[in-house]
Amino acid sequence: MNNNAEIISTLTELENFLKLVENGGLGLTNIEGVALATNNKDGRRFVAVLDDKHQLLLSRWVTEEVFQTGQDLVRNGTNPTQH
């Protein structure tokens, strides 16, 4: 699922990742949304970039603290006044 060993461990890192997704900096197409989720196999937390069919395009592991405190950031985006 996640072939990147990098773990997002701060809200700043999460915000930077979300900005890359929002601005097209990762080269992904057909992005419909971003969500925080839990891996069913081992319980690890991750941020998922999803397409319009809710299929996983990209993910990054996150720490438990980022999972708990970053939910509003993921839900509202990095600049909620523009949405």
Side-chain angles (χ1 to χ4, degrees):
M1 178 204 57
N2 189 334
N3 58 4
N4 188 329
E6 208 173 301
I7 298 174
I8 296 173
S9 59
T10 68
L11 288 180
T12 301
E13 291 173 0
L14 177 61
E15 183 175 15
N16 289 339
F17 176 76
L18 293 174
K19 284 180 181 178
L20 278 173
V21 170
E22 291 170 355
N23 297 326
L26 297 173
L28 301 173
T29 58
N30 205 25
I31 296 172
E32 186 65 28
V34 179
L36 287 168
T38 303
N39 183 322
N40 291 334
K41 188 173 185 178
D42 60 13
R44 289 177 70 184
R45 308 295 194 156
F46 63 97
V47 58
V49 180
L50 306 169
D51 69 9
D52 60 346
K53 294 182 175 98
H54 301 284
Q55 298 295 310
L56 184 64
L57 296 172
L58 179 71
S59 66
R60 292 288 186 272
W61 298 117
V62 299
T63 62
E64 183 65 27
E65 180 181 352
V66 169
F67 181 84
Q68 296 298 330
T69 59
Q71 293 180 17
D72 284 338
L73 185 59
V74 170
R75 185 179 299 116
N76 299 321
T78 60
N79 193 352
T81 58
Q82 288 184 344
H83 295 280

